[in-house]
Amino acid sequence: MASQKTIDLGAQHLPVGSAADQLRALADAAEATGYAFDTYGAGDGLNAFEAKVAAMLGKEAGLFVATGTMAQQSVLRAATWVHGLGSKPKVFVHGTSHLVHQDCLRDGAEQAKKFARHAAVNLPDFDAAALGSFDRVIQLRDVVTAFYVPGAERNAAVLAELFDTVYVSFYKGVGALASAMVLGSAAIVAKVRREVAIHGGKLHTAGPLALSAELALAKSAGAFAPRFERLRAMVAVVSAAAADAGVAVEFDPPVPESAMVHCYLPGRAEDLERLHAAAAAATGVTLWNKLRGPGHARDGTWSYFEWSAGPGNVAATDDDVTRGWAHFLALCKAELPAPAPAAEPETEVPPEPPAAEPPAAAAA
């Protein structure tokens, strides 16, 4: 039996080394390129990076922001101001939105119960309404129902026109130290810039974070499609292993639609972690980095984790995946009781929107 973990399927990124190593790499890159720090957002290096990412996503302008949450909050305020939606505009978010809960998805049912209270505390300037159902991701029909967009169920481009901005995280998947960017029209980005400044996000210089983001984005260019395909392949391997073991492992969505997927396991977190540690010690394969909670539609007999594909795990072979998962699933089969079936997602078709409802009033 292996005495040490040798393969980490939960490691999206490669080890980054010490803080000194990371700062040294940034210094080397800055020296090689003549990179100069911005001052309060003004600087050739930073502004060129903002323009580059905006062009990549087909938008007119971009704004580098230190944190994603600040970027999203600022966009909400800027967008509602631009459209004149009143002093407390209505916004639609998912019932487990971290803007409402200040946390990622843990227990969807519990977050749904606390939605109104958390929205009042964390989004006090908005009339926040939950969009869709807490037990699944937002679907096209949810947006159609909420906004009454005629024909949207037949043409996704109609929905895309509703969105004025795009948000990019530079540490999720890309691997930078931190930070994000908001892309959109020059007018909306100018409004977002003002909101970021009002809420304390106008740093004296974003230079180190911006350089880290630019280098990480360049390094990951062209890598997301292979990561996506590799994750799909690994999910298929795990699904086959689960079927062979007779253990009900489930993925949401069943076939990944990006380089990240939610994996649901039958059992309580403490039991799963114990068996996971035993399987990793025996096989040298670690399957995840942390369990997050029951997730969307499961109760306390299910636990889930986020599985992301990146440079730290895409080199794992199908044999590696099978070896680690088969041993873990065999332990689950032997030691854990069979869980209750997972709740099925809603499948009913929503009622047709009223023909007389004006789109502008519904959007407001």
Side-chain angles (χ1 to χ4, degrees):
M1 293 191 299
S3 59
Q4 292 183 339
K5 300 181 179 74
T6 58
I7 296 171
D8 189 350
L9 298 179
Q12 178 184 6
H13 300 295
L14 294 169
V16 295
S18 67
D21 291 336
Q22 296 181 68
L23 293 173
R24 214 171 273 120
L26 290 178
D28 290 343
E31 186 173 32
T33 61
Y35 188 87
F37 285 173
D38 67 287
T39 301
Y40 291 118
D44 291 343
L46 174 61
N47 300 149
F49 180 46
E50 291 171 330
K52 178 180 178 180
V53 178
M56 288 172 58
L57 295 172
K59 295 296 185 180
E60 186 179 8
L63 175 65
F64 187 85
V65 187
T67 72
T69 300
M70 180 174 289
Q72 294 160 10
Q73 293 271 11
S74 298
V75 167
L76 280 181
R77 288 171 170 80
T80 51
W81 180 25
V82 166
H83 294 296
L85 298 183
S87 58
K88 195 167 185 179
K90 188 166 189 175
V91 297
F92 290 91
V93 297
H94 192 269
T96 64
S97 168
H98 72 88
L99 291 178
V100 170
H101 301 288
Q102 291 296 301
D103 195 10
C104 297
L105 171 63
R106 305 288 178 184
D107 184 333
E110 186 66 19
Q111 287 177 322
K113 293 176 184 177
K114 297 178 179 178
F115 181 90
R117 185 172 66 202
H118 286 185
V121 172
N122 295 323
L123 288 177
D125 297 333
F126 300 93
D127 176 13
L131 180 62
S133 176
F134 79 90
D135 61 1
R136 55 170 171 77
V137 298
I138 293 173
Q139 298 178 358
L140 176 63
R141 60 191 174 90
D142 299 322
V143 183
V144 172
T145 302
F147 290 101
Y148 299 108
V149 181
E153 67 278 11
R154 294 179 300 279
N155 182 3
V158 175
L159 285 181
E161 293 177 0
L162 291 172
F163 300 102
D164 298 318
T165 60
V166 175
Y167 159 78
V168 176
S169 170
F170 288 121
Y171 76 92
K172 295 180 179 178
V174 177
L177 293 175
S179 71
M181 192 176 290
V182 175
L183 301 315
S185 69
I188 190 68
V189 167
K191 301 297 189 298
V192 175
R193 186 184 302 276
R194 175 181 180 275
E195 294 296 330
V196 167
I198 289 173
H199 291 88
K202 190 175 183 179
L203 306 178
H204 177 250
T205 181
L209 290 178
L211 179 57
S212 173
E214 186 169 3
L215 294 173
L217 184 61
K219 188 174 182 180
S220 62
F224 284 98
R227 293 180 193 177
F228 169 53
E229 294 300 332
R230 184 63 192 132
L231 182 62
R232 279 193 163 192
M234 291 193 289
V235 164
V237 170
V238 175
S239 297
D244 290 343
V247 178
V249 177
E250 299 184 7
F251 291 95
D252 183 18
V255 177
E257 297 174 359
S258 71
M260 190 274 279
V261 70
H262 288 181
C263 179
Y264 283 87
L265 303 172
R268 297 181 306 167
E270 55 267 34
D271 294 329
L272 293 169
E273 292 288 16
R274 173 176 55 83
L275 299 181
H276 180 223
T283 64
V285 181
T286 300
L287 307 182
W288 64 79
N289 56 16
K290 67 178 177 179
L291 296 176
R292 290 177 170 263
H296 277 141
R298 281 71 171 176
D299 58 20
T301 64
W302 288 82
S303 301
Y304 95 101
F305 67 92
E306 290 184 355
W307 190 6
S308 298
N313 56 15
V314 292
T317 67
D318 287 356
D319 288 343
D320 295 329
V321 177
T322 300
R323 183 172 79 256
W325 274 94
H327 194 98
F328 168 72
L329 293 169
L331 294 178
C332 292
K333 181 72 171 179
E335 300 192 31
L336 300 183
E344 291 293 328
E346 297 177 5
T347 56
E348 74 276 4
V349 177
E352 288 293 324
E357 185 74 33

